[in-house]
Amino acid sequence: MTCIFAACSKTAISTANIPLNSSGTADSIAKVDTLPSFYSPTGVALDGAGNIYVADYGNDLIRKITSAGIVSTVAGTGIPGSLNGAVAIASFNQPKGIAVDASGNIYIADAGNNVIRKITAGTVSTLAGSDSTGMADGPPATATFFGPAGVTLDAANNVYVADAGNNLIRMVSPAGNVTTLAGLNGEFSNPTGVAINSSGTLFVANYLGNNILQVNSAGVVNPFAGNGQPGSVNGPAAAAGFYFPNSVATDGAGNVYVSDEVNNLIRKITPGGTVSTLAGSGVAGAADSTGTAASFNGPAGLAVDASGNVYVADSNNNLIRKITQAGVVTTIAGTGAAGAKNGMVLARRKKVLVMAANKQLNIWYKPKVN
């Protein structure tokens, strides 16, 4: 789910009642309102213990899924705001990108507030940004952003920001000082995702440009994949097609993964420059299966674990999904209905969940305004 800034709004999702199963027995039904749920999740990140952190955009919350399958709220009240302080009283406004450092600190691109937030030791603070729209570099309190979207971290805990509304890639030091790394020459068009590899090269999901760009440590921008035209063609990177690529992630082998939003696909780009489809049929849906038999609906944030499994914030489905290197897709958490329930996700596998087929889904991208 990606907004082109100043052209997006949240809309309530309606669902029909959940019916009984074919035998007519209520005890075999896992009701939507009793299981953990999300509302348009847009970002995912992993810590060293295998916990998944979720930027729950529609709920204005930061959520956590433990390796044991328990969903909880890390921070936020669920009411849009910009209050810092203890996680139980702090507030967010359209959190989009999320990253976690080796010490367990959490960094959030708080898009609606135009700031970068940090959660450490149970306290939310503003790392950088003044809660006003702009592109000023400088100290934390005077620097400005415009709809920051994706975030990633290097080994020194510098935060790299896809500053979507400004068409820039920014860098935030651990002390919160902001500089512009790339984009002043007009290379980007609504960049929404950013990831870094082990050599320090950044990869950028250039959303409206329908391509993936790479940025070196000196801020030099070069094409990486995509011909710039909407499409879904696989093959050599320069000829491949994407349609509003939303987010990117990298693995230890140097592969780059792309959430191809409008195509409803998860794509893979090898270090040698070959683009393929890891999973997704290209038709909106929520099917768990393998490769092109699986389906997504508006996939957004991505994260990759040490084993090469890819985690997806399946935004329009209100789900968190997992893809193995073999392309096997499963649902980690979420019911498909919008909500903010916490609890144990394992119940979803033990019960039959019957969803209404006529759920009204949101479209979060808008045409570019000239």
Side-chain angles (χ1 to χ4, degrees), residues 207-286:
Y207 188 78
L208 293 181
N210 293 307
N211 58 3
I212 309 301
L213 302 176
Q214 59 183 354
V215 184
N216 68 18
S217 59
V220 177
V221 181
N222 284 299
F224 182 67
N227 60 26
Q229 299 299 315
S232 59
V233 175
N234 289 319
F242 300 90
Y243 197 170
F244 290 178
N246 184 309
S247 297
V248 285
T250 61
D251 67 15
N255 299 297
V256 177
Y257 301 87
V258 181
S259 57
D260 196 353
E261 183 180 309
V262 177
N263 284 324
N264 296 305
L265 300 173
I266 305 303
R267 316 286 290 280
K268 179 179 178 179
I269 311 168
T270 67
T274 299
V275 178
S276 61
T277 296
L278 178 64
S281 65
V283 177

Side-chain angles (χ1 to χ4, degrees), residues 257-339:
Y257 301 87
V258 181
S259 57
D260 196 353
E261 183 180 309
V262 177
N263 284 324
N264 296 305
L265 300 173
I266 305 303
R267 316 286 290 280
K268 179 179 178 179
I269 311 168
T270 67
T274 299
V275 178
S276 61
T277 296
L278 178 64
S281 65
V283 177
D288 284 337
S289 191
T290 301
T292 57
S295 55
F296 302 88
N297 193 344
L302 299 176
V304 184
D305 68 18
S307 299
N309 299 303
V310 181
Y311 297 82
V312 184
D314 194 358
S315 191
N316 286 344
N317 279 327
N318 303 306
L319 300 174
I320 306 302
R321 317 286 290 280
K322 177 183 175 181
I323 314 171
T324 69
Q325 277 295 299
V328 178
V329 179
T330 55
T331 296
I332 297 295
T335 64

Side-chain angles (χ1 to χ4, degrees), residues 141-165:
T142 59
T144 51
F145 300 89
F146 182 15
V151 288
T152 193
L153 297 163
D154 66 15
N157 287 341
N158 294 299
V159 183
Y160 297 88
V161 181
D163 192 357

Side-chain angles (χ1 to χ4, degrees), residues 23-145:
S23 67
T25 57
D27 61 357
S28 64
I29 299 298
K31 294 182 179 179
V32 165
D33 62 0
T34 66
L35 297 175
S37 53
F38 303 88
Y39 183 7
S40 296
T42 54
V44 286
L46 300 166
D47 68 13
N51 299 303
I52 305 168
Y53 295 85
V54 180
D56 196 353
Y57 178 96
N59 283 319
D60 298 305
L61 298 173
I62 305 303
R63 314 284 292 283
K64 177 181 178 180
I65 309 168
T66 70
S67 55
I70 298 172
V71 177
S72 61
T73 296
V74 174
T77 62
I79 300 171
S82 59
L83 185 65
N84 288 320
V87 292
I89 64 169
S91 53
F92 301 87
N93 187 3
Q94 301 177 353
K96 298 197 73 174
I98 189 167
V100 182
D101 69 20
S103 299
N105 300 303
I106 305 169
Y107 303 81
I108 302 109
D110 194 356
N113 285 321
N114 298 301
V115 297
I116 307 303
R117 312 286 290 281
K118 181 179 180 180
I119 306 173
T120 184
T123 300
V124 178
S125 61
T126 297
L127 178 64
S130 62
D131 199 19
S132 61
T133 299
M135 55 183 291
D137 289 335
T142 59
T144 51
F145 300 89

